[in-house]
Amino acid sequence: LPAERACLLIAERWRAILPSAQQGFSPEFLAQLEETAASEYLGELAYRGGGLTTLRDLSLGTAPTTSAAARSAQVKELLIGENIRHASLLNLQTRENNFGVVLFPHSAPKPGSSSQTRLLLGVGLQIGMTLENYVVMHDAHRRTKEYELLTQIGQAISSRLDKDEVLRTVHKELGQLFDTSNFYVAFQQGEYIHFELEVTEGKIQPKRSRKLSNGITEHIIRTGAPL
């Protein structure tokens, strides 16, 4: 199927792991689609079409619509802005997950023959399975890294007697997993909360204390549960 332009639009749920990609469109096109939640809307259209659907004569206002009329109009406006008149949507669905949709414009109202349609559906399934395998491997790698990190933190705690050094080591090691540029470690002692390590915008702040209140810190200490 000849297509000089195409867009892989990942569903919002998976964007922290899987990046969207595009070729042949304007640089801002992908970001604009993501801002309008287009992956969910277009994915729904493709799913309703059995995994593959075609948008025809967008400039004439005959594109399919759903109950989300405002979102439909936004997406349609973006597509027309890229000089797209006809486009096909290929759903990237597996048994367990929906990873997004592939959008590719074409000049003719009908993208191809029935054999090409079957081929595209097979390709969509293979892409979906590949993305799913990557997510599984990514999660396994993350869990392994978390285990290694906990081991390193345990070794650091057992090999150091200075409390400040231990807390700085914990802060440094956790920075391998997530952004710790804003971070603190606080303890409750009596009627006070003591901030033993506090980092703001990457800078270590002086130690401080304050009286108990109904803040987030007190809630976490009281319940022992994350937010």
Side-chain angles (χ1 to χ4, degrees):
L1 182 67
E4 296 180 356
R5 299 186 293 170
C7 173
L8 169 61
L9 189 58
I10 296 296
E12 184 176 4
R13 174 187 175 187
W14 304 106
R15 285 179 198 156
I17 302 174
L18 302 169
S20 298
Q22 63 97 358
Q23 177 175 321
F25 297 104
S26 61
E28 64 275 7
F29 179 59
L30 198 57
Q32 291 173 338
L33 284 177
E34 291 181 342
E35 289 174 2
T36 58
S39 61
E40 284 69 25
Y41 167 66
L42 297 176
E44 179 185 352
L45 294 181
Y47 179 78
R48 290 185 176 187
L52 178 67
T53 193
T54 299
L55 307 179
R56 297 182 178 88
D57 294 321
L58 284 169
S59 60
L60 300 179
T62 58
T65 59
T66 67
S67 57
R71 184 173 56 176
S72 170
Q74 282 182 307
V75 173
K76 177 183 172 183
E77 183 178 352
L78 288 175
L79 298 181
I80 293 175
E82 294 290 327
N83 297 317
I84 297 174
R85 184 176 181 184
H86 313 293
S88 289
L89 307 171
L90 180 62
N91 195 29
L92 304 180
Q93 177 86 38
T94 66
R95 288 186 177 182
E96 301 293 333
N97 299 296
N98 182 6
F99 290 100
V101 64
V102 176
L103 179 150
F104 50 95
H106 39 81
S107 56
K110 189 175 181 180
S113 64
S114 58
S115 61
Q116 288 177 317
T117 297
R118 290 192 296 270
L119 176 61
L120 283 172
L121 289 172
V123 169
L125 179 60
Q126 288 296 320
I127 294 175
M129 293 174 62
T130 300
L131 295 177
E132 191 166 62
N133 288 337
Y134 177 83
V135 169
V136 170
M137 293 177 60
H138 179 274
D139 287 345
H141 176 73
R142 177 181 55 81
R143 287 192 295 269
T144 299
K145 192 171 183 63
E146 288 174 351
Y147 176 77
E148 292 174 350
L149 179 59
L150 289 174
T151 301
Q152 292 171 7
I153 291 175
Q155 292 173 345
I157 292 174
S158 62
S159 63
R160 291 170 172 81
L161 297 178
D162 182 73
K163 180 176 65 175
D164 292 339
E165 187 178 356
V166 169
L167 293 179
R168 286 194 297 269
T169 300
V170 170
H171 170 252
K172 177 182 177 182
E173 296 296 339
L174 288 178
Q176 299 182 45
L177 289 182
F178 52 84
D179 181 15
T180 55
S181 57
N182 292 286
F183 177 92
Y184 69 85
V185 178
F187 300 94
Q188 178 182 345
Q189 292 181 344
E191 297 297 316
Y192 286 86
I193 296 293
H194 299 279
F195 292 83
E196 295 296 329
L197 175 64
E198 186 174 11
V199 180
T200 303
E201 299 298 332
K203 296 181 179 180
I204 296 179
Q205 305 299 311
K207 293 183 181 182
R208 64 184 178 92
S209 300
R210 64 167 174 79
K211 294 198 69 174
L212 287 174
S213 65
N214 292 322
I216 294 176
T217 301
E218 287 83 350
H219 172 78
I220 295 174
I221 292 175
R222 183 174 62 253
T223 63
L227 293 178

